């Protein structure tokens, strides 16, 4: 309930730009002391700005923290309805108490909203994902120590014996640049280095790819299909692609694209993003 109330508070401020404690008390049906605690909690994470007697939205660029570049925003916008449905189904595969791994990617990033009320231990090499989960959930979040690579949105340790290397996960959820009969495809050697380390720490590898990713064959092979347990994609995928995945022993889950509620769409640099309300607040 705490997370839902804070998400509603964020949405209200996105709509009104500013509000007093009294107005938030009436809108959220909470006590003044509860609203003040929520304002302090959200302000400490740069999601809102605390004012005398209330709160207001923060400048959009400030909320991004300088880490979400134009490419990430563009990719998040592309095929949003497909990614939204895939992310929802992926989150439904998680069970409270599990340790899971989530890599950096736009589809996996959308999982964060659906994990807001869960109780999980989540390891991620994505700074944006970690920040998102900390801002909207009570899940335990683990990140590797190392350097934040802004363009790739990953944290990479220069040491092979990083503390996260001792963590074991029941599932790893991964977005990739493409998928072919040869395996998972990435275009950046740095991403491959970061993700190969994590793949070996999970019992099952679950790949989240919208159907457009099957047409992207160029790049570097991250891993072969034998290492993939499940692929979640959308109904635009070709029957032939499903067949060769299943022949390789991969479980394939096909979901229908799901356009997020219109009231949960916000503008990002003038463009509409169809995303869940609290996720929109993070990206704004």
């Amino acid at each position: 309930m705490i997370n839902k109330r804070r998400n509603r508070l964020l949405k209200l401020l996105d709509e009104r730009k500013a509000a007093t404690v009294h107005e938030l008390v009436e809108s959220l049906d909470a006590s003044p002391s509860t609203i003040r605690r929520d304002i302090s909690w959200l302000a400490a994470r740069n999601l809102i700005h605390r004012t005398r007697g209330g709160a207001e939205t923060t400048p959009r660029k400030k909320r991004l923290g300088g880490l979400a570049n134009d490419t990430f925003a563009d990719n998040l916008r592309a095929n949003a309805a497909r990614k939204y449905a895939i992310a929802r189904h992926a989150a439904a595969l998680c069970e409270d108490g599990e340790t899971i791994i989530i890599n950096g990617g736009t589809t996996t990033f959308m999982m964060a909203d659906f994990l807001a009320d869960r109780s999980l231990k989540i390891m991620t090499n994505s700074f944006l994902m970690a920040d998102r989960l900390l801002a909207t959930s009570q899940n335990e979040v683990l990140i590797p120590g190392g350097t934040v690579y802004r363009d790739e949105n990953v944290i990479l340790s220069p040491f092979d014996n990083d503390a996260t290397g001792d963590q074991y996960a029941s599932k790893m959820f991964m977005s990739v640049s493409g998928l072919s009969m040869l395996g998972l495809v990435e275009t950046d050697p740095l991403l491959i280095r970061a993700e190969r380390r994590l793949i070996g720490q999970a019992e099952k590898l679950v790949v989240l790819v919208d159907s457009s990713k099957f047409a992207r064959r160029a790049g570097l092979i991250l891993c072969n299909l034998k290492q993939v347990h499940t692929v979640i994609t959308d109904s635009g995928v070709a029957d032939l692609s499903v067949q060769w995945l299943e022949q390789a022993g991969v479980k394939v889950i096909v979901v229908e694209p799901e356009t997020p509620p219109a009231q949960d769409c916000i503008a990002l640099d003038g463009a509409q993003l169809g995303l869940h309300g609290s996720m929109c607040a993070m990206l704004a």
Side-chain angles (χ1 to χ4, degrees), residues 203-256:
E203 181 180 348
K204 296 178 181 178
L205 178 59
V206 182
V207 180
L208 284 57
V209 285
D210 67 78
S211 53
S212 70
K213 300 292 182 69
F214 287 83
R216 301 178 186 177
R217 303 296 175 85
L220 304 170
I221 300 298
L222 171 63
C223 71
N224 59 47
L225 294 179
K226 291 182 180 180
Q227 294 177 263
V228 179
H229 181 274
T230 302
V231 166
I232 308 176
T233 187
D234 63 84
S235 55
V237 65
D239 291 341
L240 182 61
S241 296
V242 175
Q243 290 175 13
W244 54 253
L245 279 171
E246 291 179 338
Q247 288 172 359
V250 178
K251 179 180 179 181
V252 182
I253 299 173
V254 178
V255 300
E256 291 294 331

Side-chain angles (χ1 to χ4, degrees), residues 1-277:
M1 293 299 295
I2 293 175
N3 297 325
K4 289 182 180 179
R5 187 181 63 247
R6 287 173 180 166
N7 287 340
R8 288 173 60 201
L9 192 157
L10 284 170
K11 185 179 176 183
L12 281 170
L13 288 180
D14 275 327
E15 294 171 350
R16 303 179 186 180
K17 306 307 178 187
T20 65
V21 170
H22 178 71
E23 290 171 336
L24 293 171
V25 165
E26 290 188 339
S27 297
L28 300 176
D29 191 25
S31 69
S33 59
T34 295
I35 293 300
R36 290 190 183 95
R37 283 196 298 270
D38 286 346
I39 289 174
S40 296
W41 192 91
L42 293 166
R45 290 157 177 79
N46 287 331
L47 293 173
I48 63 174
H49 178 65
R50 191 171 190 170
T51 63
R52 186 178 180 84
E56 63 185 10
T57 55
T58 59
R60 296 186 183 278
K61 290 183 179 179
K62 185 176 181 181
R63 282 206 210 158
L64 277 167
L67 285 168
N69 58 28
D70 291 340
T71 299
F72 185 87
D74 290 341
N75 289 341
L76 191 63
R77 190 179 295 110
N79 301 318
R82 302 178 190 178
K83 294 176 179 179
Y84 186 83
I86 292 169
R88 179 193 290 276
H89 194 96
L93 297 180
C94 301
E95 300 179 7
D96 285 346
E98 276 190 308
T99 297
I100 65 171
I101 299 172
I102 304 178
N103 84 323
T106 53
T107 309
T108 47
F109 183 80
M110 287 189 180
M111 288 179 64
D113 257 23
F114 302 112
L115 298 175
D117 296 318
R118 307 301 295 274
S119 179
L120 300 160
K121 179 182 287 188
I122 302 174
M123 182 164 59
T124 180
N125 63 356
S126 164
F127 186 90
L128 286 176
M129 172 62 78
D131 192 50
R132 184 78 194 100
L133 290 167
L134 290 170
T136 62
S137 79
Q138 296 299 314
N139 292 295
E140 182 178 351
V141 180
L142 295 85
I143 58 174
T147 302
V148 177
Y149 291 85
R150 293 173 180 267
D151 291 341
E152 294 84 1
N153 180 32
V154 295
I155 305 168
L156 189 59
S157 170
F159 307 108
D160 290 334
N161 60 345
D162 178 83
T164 56
D166 297 327
Q167 296 291 329
Y168 168 81
S170 54
K171 302 180 185 76
M172 176 174 179
F173 296 90
M174 170 177 284
S175 292
V176 291
S177 296
L179 194 154
S180 75
M181 296 178 70
L182 296 177
L184 307 184
V185 176
E186 281 290 8
T187 57
D188 194 311
L190 190 65
L191 289 177
I192 289 180
R193 180 184 167 194
E195 291 165 358
R196 278 181 178 167
R197 292 178 60 180
L198 295 176
I199 289 174
Q201 295 172 233
E203 181 180 348
K204 296 178 181 178
L205 178 59
V206 182
V207 180
L208 284 57
V209 285
D210 67 78
S211 53
S212 70
K213 300 292 182 69
F214 287 83
R216 301 178 186 177
R217 303 296 175 85
L220 304 170
I221 300 298
L222 171 63
C223 71
N224 59 47
L225 294 179
K226 291 182 180 180
Q227 294 177 263
V228 179
H229 181 274
T230 302
V231 166
I232 308 176
T233 187
D234 63 84
S235 55
V237 65
D239 291 341
L240 182 61
S241 296
V242 175
Q243 290 175 13
W244 54 253
L245 279 171
E246 291 179 338
Q247 288 172 359
V250 178
K251 179 180 179 181
V252 182
I253 299 173
V254 178
V255 300
E256 291 294 331
E258 178 184 352
T259 302
Q263 65 268 25
D264 286 337
C265 294
I266 64 160
L268 176 64
D269 295 333
Q272 289 293 324
L273 285 180
L275 298 173
H276 208 253

